[in-house]
């Protein structure tokens, strides 16, 4: 979930970079330098949504970036940024456990062992700070195991565990307004479904080789290109549903930036909007 750069204004571009650096700095400050390698762009969207829906303006300050001596403008500690740092650490930790040891090459096993040793402390600290979030991940893992054991061939049922966890995560970003929480839960569910379908489609050939459950394999789709095409069709339908729910939200701050991410950014991630299908590179100031 990144902005679609060709349609991004300079002001929104800078705001996104400031939040990106702010989440990274918070991870460094709370969980150590090595935890920064877990950072993905999902956490930036969590921070943006949490602060923008609540109308909490963040303070921008020049601080030293983690791992170097440069001082850059970044958003300072807000409730949304702290939550984003916790989500990044816990979500990153659980993704490390996603593949079995016997599926990894020797180099991958060594890297997994190093990551587990160096990131365990950060993960345990994040769990103590937000145990409710960890319970969500535990429930999702249990549901995923059930679907694997059932060998489910229904795409909606197979994607349900990830849809549920993203729905629960996004609902925590909303204010106390019940309608806003409902919309955010539905938005998160759509995003979780999109992520699940695209991830499984990309791994269909690897899963076939090791005999791992994959909903596309169960439905007789063995090739990566065919699986990706199928996943894109379903993901586009989920993205369209997301846009309808998103239009009902009351975004108090950074609306143009969040519009760009939720509408164009997600659409571009599913099916690239560039005419020549060429990615646009970030040029950091």
């Amino acid at each position: 979930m990144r902005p679609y750069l060709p349609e991004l204004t300079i002001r929104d571009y800078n705001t996104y970079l400031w939040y990106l650096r702010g989440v990274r700095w918070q991870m460094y400050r709370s969980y150590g330098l090595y935890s920064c390698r877990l950072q993905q762009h999902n956490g930036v969207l969590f921070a943006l949504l949490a602060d923008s829906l609540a109308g909490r303006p963040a303070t921008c300050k020049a601080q030293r970036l983690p791992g170097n001596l440069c001082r850059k403008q970044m958003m300072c500690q807000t409730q949304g940024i702290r939550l984003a740092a916790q989500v990044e650490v816990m979500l990153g930790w659980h993704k490390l456990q996603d593949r079995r040891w016997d599926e990894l090459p020797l180099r991958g096993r060594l890297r997994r062992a190093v990551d587990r040793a160096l990131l365990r402390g950060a993960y345990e600290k994040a769990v103590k700070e937000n145990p409710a979030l960890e319970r969500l991940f535990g429930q999702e893992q249990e549901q995923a195991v059930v679907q694997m054991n059932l060998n489910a061939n229904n795409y909606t049922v197979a994607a349900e565990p990830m849809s549920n966890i993203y729905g629960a995560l996004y609902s925590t970003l909303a204010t106390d307004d019940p309608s806003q929480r409902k919309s955010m839960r539905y938005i998160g569910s759509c995003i979780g479904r999109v992520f699940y379908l695209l991830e499984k489609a990309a791994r269909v050939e690897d899963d076939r080789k090791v005999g791992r459950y994959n909903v596309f394999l169960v439905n007789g789709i063995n090739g990566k290109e065919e699986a990706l095409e199928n996943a894109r069709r379903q993901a586009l339908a989920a993205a369209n549903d997301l846009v309808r729910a998103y239009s009902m939200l009351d975004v108090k701050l950074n609306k143009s930036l969040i519009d760009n991410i939720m509408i164009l950014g997600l659409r571009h991630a599913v099916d690239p909007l560039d005419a020549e299908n060429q990615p646009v590179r970030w040029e950091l100031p």
Side-chain angles (χ1 to χ4, degrees):
M1 295 289 290
R2 303 186 185 190
Y4 180 60
L5 290 182
E7 299 294 332
L8 198 63
T9 65
I10 294 176
R11 180 177 181 178
D12 288 341
Y13 176 82
N14 286 329
T15 300
Y16 187 83
L17 283 183
W18 295 338
Y19 263 97
L20 182 67
R21 294 168 183 158
V23 173
R24 184 176 181 83
W25 187 86
Q26 184 66 44
M27 293 174 70
Y28 162 71
R29 183 176 182 273
S30 299
Y31 308 111
L33 180 61
Y34 197 77
S35 70
C36 294
R37 76 182 305 273
L38 295 175
Q39 186 181 20
Q40 297 182 3
H41 287 254
N42 292 330
V44 188
L45 181 57
F46 290 148
L48 273 168
L49 282 170
D51 291 341
S52 300
L53 290 172
R56 290 190 298 265
T59 302
C60 189
K61 290 184 179 180
Q63 300 192 89
R64 186 173 63 83
L65 289 174
N68 60 59
L69 300 177
C70 297
R71 292 178 66 85
K72 296 283 188 178
Q73 294 290 328
M74 64 181 71
M75 294 302 186
C76 292
Q77 302 176 53
T78 66
Q79 183 175 338
I81 289 175
R82 287 190 290 270
L83 176 61
Q86 294 170 353
V87 170
E88 291 279 50
V89 169
M90 282 192 260
L91 190 59
W93 172 265
H94 285 289
K95 282 186 176 180
L96 286 176
Q97 327 303 321
D98 188 41
R99 296 182 65 185
R100 300 194 308 260
W101 281 92
D102 57 351
E103 297 177 18
L104 298 172
L106 178 59
R107 185 176 180 180
R109 295 180 188 181
L110 292 174
R111 180 176 295 178
R112 168 82 69 85
V114 172
D115 286 343
R116 284 176 62 91
L118 297 180
L119 294 172
R120 180 174 291 278
Y123 162 71
E124 291 176 349
K125 182 179 180 182
V127 170
K128 289 181 181 178
E129 293 173 348
N130 198 336
L133 195 59
E134 175 60 18
R135 286 195 293 271
L136 291 178
F137 289 111
Q139 292 169 4
E140 185 267 343
Q141 289 177 327
E142 292 174 359
Q143 292 175 0
V145 170
V146 170
Q147 300 304 334
M148 291 175 64
N149 292 335
L150 291 175
N151 213 28
N153 64 351
N154 185 291
Y155 292 102
T156 301
V157 173
E160 188 175 353
M162 188 170 285
S163 295
N164 288 341
I165 191 170
Y166 272 86
L169 279 175
Y170 275 76
S171 68
T172 64
L173 306 179
T175 61
D176 293 333
D177 182 6
S179 63
Q180 191 176 81
R181 282 188 174 272
K182 184 177 179 180
S183 296
M184 285 296 293
R185 179 175 287 275
Y186 188 77
I187 287 170
S189 297
C190 291
I191 293 174
R193 177 176 170 80
V194 169
F195 285 175
Y196 177 86
L197 291 171
L198 294 178
E199 180 183 356
K200 285 296 183 182
R203 291 171 51 176
V204 67
E205 293 179 352
D206 292 337
D207 289 343
R208 176 170 53 82
K209 291 177 182 177
V210 299
R212 184 173 183 172
Y213 166 76
N214 188 303
V215 66
F216 292 98
L217 293 175
V218 176
N219 283 277
I221 300 176
N222 297 312
K224 182 177 179 180
E225 291 302 322
E226 185 182 0
L228 284 173
E229 183 60 32
N230 185 299
R232 287 193 186 101
R233 288 198 301 269
Q234 297 188 62
L236 283 174
N240 291 334
D241 290 341
L242 179 151
V243 171
R244 286 191 285 271
Y246 174 71
S247 63
M248 295 186 287
L249 289 179
D250 179 21
V251 182
K252 298 179 175 64
L253 296 173
N254 306 310
K255 189 175 189 310
S256 59
L257 173 56
I258 297 176
D259 285 350
N260 181 290
I261 298 173
M262 300 294 283
I263 299 173
L264 295 176
L266 181 61
R267 174 67 174 77
H268 181 65
V270 174
D271 191 16
L273 297 171
D274 298 324
E276 298 179 359
N277 197 20
Q278 295 296 321
V280 180
R281 293 187 177 182
W282 288 81
E283 296 180 1
L284 303 183

